[in-house]
Amino acid sequence: MTAKYTSIEQTRLDKVQRLRSQGIEPYPTRAERTHTSQQAIAEFEKAEAAAVDGVVKPVLATLVGRLRSIRAMGKITFAHIEDGYGRIQIFLRANDLGQDQLDLFSRELDLGDFIQASGEMFRTKTGEITLRAASFRLLAKSVTPLPAAKDQVVEGELVQHATLSEPELRYRQRYADLAVNPDVRQIFRVRTATVRALREFMDSHDFLEVETPILQPIYGGAAARPFITHHNQLKQDLYLRISFELYLKRLLVGGYERVYEIGRDFRNEGVDRTHNPEFTQLEFYCAYADYLKVMELTEQMVSFAAERVQGKRVITYQGQTINLEPPWQRMDLGEGLLEVTGIDIQQHLTTESLQGAMKAKGLEFDPNATRGKLIDALLGDHLTPTLIQPTLVYNYPRDISPLAKSLPGNPQIVERFEGYIAGMEMCNAFTELNDPLDQESRFLEMGRDYDSEDEERHPMDEDYLRAMRYGMPPNGGFGLGVDRLVMLLADNPNIREVILFPHLRKIEE
């Protein structure tokens, strides 16, 4: 099937053929560059500062970039090119290039083309640092105009007004979104800086970065429905991992005391402003630590990342001032729910009793949910939206936390906490269960209490139990949604904005 071209695209394709007929290759193999736009400007400013008797030492540069504006004025033309570091003006005139070359520039080049230009830097009468081009050449012809672009003549200047504001189109054509929206490019610089900061924190605290399998014979480590795939050679169904947890804890058995991984997880679940089926997570496991120690590491790590990325620990998110400086607020889950719903979950120890309390308060609930899932729903619907400042909510029901140790003296509560900021769950952590007999009974219990289609069901993992039986040190475990942290530090309320290529429905749907 051949592509269908618009009239504008066909006009540009004609230019490609015309250039080739003149012996000019529109997509040459080599490109040269001596300076980025930023470096050229900085070097010229340095030369100006060192000028003697008003004489500025010549600064010669070869620059590359995408054409962003063209203003033709007879014998001279002004243009702007943009590289990965900024924009810079190019000045072309017939006296330097020859009229034929200037005409070729105006006739055959379009906005969006990539070019290379060489010459001497100078400052125009209006004060703009500019390259006076002694030569130029085309590096890549743009056949399709950038989306939502409108070429318009304003005071004789051909400029590009590109907004590309429709979210669905922006996500589907992220390459175009990045090309025309500098603020979007900045979001992903923030993302890279965030991951770098997290890795720096982990490394500085003597954690070992590792890689664990993405394709797993048994999924586990979280409450989620997996994606299923098939290995043809082995004739075996496999799962895309939903968590790193069970493999990372196997490494504690093997003798490592502090391990972490930053990578992709995959969960076959709904999509909304804070959920994407493919997402990035940081998990770490620390031997001889409990959830109290992990709370301290959590506060330190997130505040460290904010300082590295934003230069401060008090940030603004969607108009709200968020103070990430430790220590954060700590809140018992039961006390928090009592405050926002008026229901004391400690007084309702069965599913039926809790359902009755919710019904009496006029709260909706799933009649098939277990007590733990009802509590989780109360948390998500009523408590989470109130947690704007960083808050660590701790002590969760045992039946929704199959991998966490019970609170001493209360077997129905486990040592688990979740971190919330700006009304979003950011992280989840446990004092990890290291008793293989207790773990086996938890797996069996989960199998009894949840049907085979329930995404909260946790499968039995015999190999993981075998590893535990060799002896696992007491440890604290932690998982952080990296995408959500980037949302926070980039001040963006939608997870799709901070994932370069989020998953979308088919266009026909």
Side-chain angles (χ1 to χ4, degrees):
M1 181 178 177
T2 58
K4 295 181 180 179
Y5 296 104
T6 66
S7 59
I8 294 177
E9 289 172 328
Q10 190 58 57
T11 296
R12 293 190 177 194
L13 286 170
D14 292 343
K15 292 182 180 182
V16 169
Q17 297 305 317
R18 198 157 54 236
L19 286 165
R20 284 182 170 144
S21 70
Q22 299 173 62
I24 300 171
E25 173 52 51
Y27 305 97
T29 304
R30 305 280 181 260
E32 297 177 9
R33 172 162 67 175
T34 62
H35 298 69
T36 66
S37 59
Q38 194 177 70
Q39 290 169 340
I41 290 170
E43 187 170 335
F44 182 75
E45 288 176 335
K46 183 178 179 180
E48 282 185 319
V52 177
D53 297 329
V55 178
V56 178
K57 183 180 178 180
V59 174
L60 303 178
T62 297
L63 308 178
V64 296
R66 187 193 290 270
L67 273 169
R68 286 303 204 181
S69 74
I70 301 172
R71 184 176 63 186
M73 304 167 63
K75 297 289 185 180
I76 63 173
T77 295
F78 286 94
H80 282 90
I81 61 171
E82 183 177 71
D83 60 13
Y85 302 87
R87 291 193 182 198
I88 192 166
Q89 184 167 256
I90 306 292
F91 173 66
L92 309 99
R93 65 176 182 174
N95 287 355
D96 299 322
L97 297 167
Q99 189 64 50
D100 289 347
Q101 279 292 95
L102 188 63
D103 290 344
L104 183 142
F105 185 97
S106 301
R107 183 179 65 251
E108 308 295 3
L109 270 60
D110 297 287
L111 295 178
D113 290 354
F114 285 89
I115 69 165
Q116 172 184 312
S118 300
E120 183 177 339
M121 304 299 299
F122 76 106
R123 190 182 292 272
T124 66
K125 293 179 180 179
T126 60
E128 185 169 358
I129 297 175
T130 301
L131 177 78
R132 179 183 287 109
S135 65
F136 73 89
R137 69 188 185 107
L138 182 62
L139 296 179
K141 186 68 183 165
S142 168
V143 174
T144 302
L146 291 170
K150 181 182 179 183
D151 295 347
Q152 185 177 21
V153 176
V154 180
E155 296 180 355
E157 181 178 7
L158 183 62
V159 296
Q160 185 177 47
H161 301 275
T163 57
L164 196 65
S165 58
E166 204 283 311
E168 187 82 4
L169 178 60
R170 289 180 45 240
Y171 304 148
R172 290 190 187 281
Q173 299 187 23
R174 181 67 88 185
Y175 38 85
D177 183 27
L178 294 166
V180 301
N181 289 319
D183 57 322
V184 176
R185 293 202 295 273
Q186 180 57 27
I187 289 173
F188 293 100
R189 290 190 178 96
V190 169
R191 184 184 180 101
T192 296
T194 300
V195 173
R196 185 186 302 121
L198 294 172
R199 183 169 279 117
E200 180 183 351
F201 180 87
M202 287 281 95
D203 293 345
S204 69
H205 284 72
D206 201 30
F207 282 83
L208 177 70
E209 184 173 12
V210 298
E211 295 175 313
T212 59
I214 292 175
L215 292 175
Q216 301 180 350
I218 298 176
Y219 66 93
R225 181 177 287 115
F227 288 96
I228 303 173
T229 187
H230 186 77
H231 194 297
N232 292 331
Q233 180 68 29
L234 298 179
K235 298 180 173 59
Q236 181 182 20
D237 283 339
L238 296 169
Y239 303 94
L240 296 181
R241 68 184 177 192
I242 61 173
S243 171
F244 322 145
E245 178 170 347
L246 301 188
Y247 282 92
L248 290 178
K249 288 197 289 189
R250 284 171 167 90
L251 298 178
L252 299 184
V253 174
Y256 296 111
E257 293 191 359
R258 295 184 171 210
V259 292
Y260 80 98
E261 182 169 2
I262 299 174
R264 292 289 202 185
D265 278 335
F266 309 85
R267 298 183 183 178
N268 197 351
E269 55 189 15
V271 177
D272 58 31
R273 75 174 191 88
T274 61
H275 291 87
N276 192 69
E278 178 182 3
F279 62 98
T280 301
Q281 187 155 250
L282 179 153
E283 288 193 39
F284 73 71
Y285 292 85
C286 183
Y288 314 111
D290 59 13
Y291 76 150
L292 299 176
K293 174 62 176 177
V294 175
M295 286 182 186
E296 295 176 5
L297 286 171
T298 300
E299 297 168 334
Q300 295 167 12
M301 180 173 62
V302 174
S303 60
F304 175 87
E307 190 162 22
R308 277 286 189 268
V309 175
Q310 297 289 6
K312 53 191 176 182
R313 299 187 176 196
V314 179
I315 65 172
T316 300
Y317 178 76
Q318 299 299 291
Q320 298 170 312
T321 299
I322 307 291
N323 187 352
L324 298 172
E325 186 71 43
W328 295 357
Q329 176 183 351
R330 286 163 167 72
M331 177 185 293
D332 178 87
L333 175 59
E335 293 175 1
L337 290 178
L338 177 61
E339 183 177 340
V340 297
T341 67
I343 297 175
D344 185 351
I345 60 173
Q346 301 306 321
Q347 299 300 314
H348 303 283
L349 300 181
T350 67
T351 300
E352 294 74 18
S353 177
L354 185 53
Q355 286 177 339
M358 294 175 69
K359 186 175 182 179
K361 293 290 185 180
L363 304 179
E364 295 183 359
F365 58 87
D366 178 357
N368 297 316
T370 64
R371 177 177 179 271
K373 292 180 72 174
L374 291 173
I375 292 172
D376 198 41
L378 287 172
L379 168 63
D381 294 341
H382 302 283
L383 183 56
T384 298
T386 71
L387 303 177
I388 304 304
Q389 295 305 315
T391 304
L392 302 176
V393 179
Y394 61 92
N395 293 349
Y396 279 65
R398 178 178 183 272
D399 67 336
I400 58 169
S401 310
L403 300 168
K405 272 191 175 179
S406 295
L407 191 68
N410 189 344
Q412 297 307 311
I413 299 295
V414 295
E415 292 194 351
R416 171 186 176 185
F417 76 84
E418 291 181 315
Y420 293 87
I421 307 174
M424 290 188 291
E425 178 197 337
M426 287 284 169
C427 60
N428 186 22
F430 309 143
T431 299
E432 299 291 339
L433 191 61
N434 65 333
D435 178 344
L437 301 180
D438 191 0
Q439 183 65 82
E440 184 174 17
S441 70
R442 299 279 191 96
F443 284 153
L444 291 170
E445 182 181 304
M446 292 290 285
R448 288 194 303 269
D449 289 351
Y450 298 89
D451 65 48
S452 61
E453 296 302 317
D454 197 316
E455 66 180 22
E456 298 291 329
R457 185 175 183 268
H458 200 297
M460 176 72 74
D461 189 334
E462 293 287 357
D463 182 70
Y464 177 65
L465 292 174
R466 182 185 302 113
M468 291 185 75
R469 288 194 290 270
Y470 279 109
M472 178 184 291
N475 67 94
F478 170 90
L480 168 76
V482 173
D483 309 289
R484 294 184 187 177
L485 181 58
V486 175
M487 289 169 61
L488 182 73
L489 298 182
D491 191 12
N492 202 296
N494 193 321
I495 195 170
R496 290 184 175 187
E497 294 287 355
V498 302
I499 296 175
L500 275 169
F501 301 101
H503 184 74
L504 302 168
R505 291 182 178 87
K506 293 181 179 178
I507 292 176
E508 55 266 28
E509 295 176 358

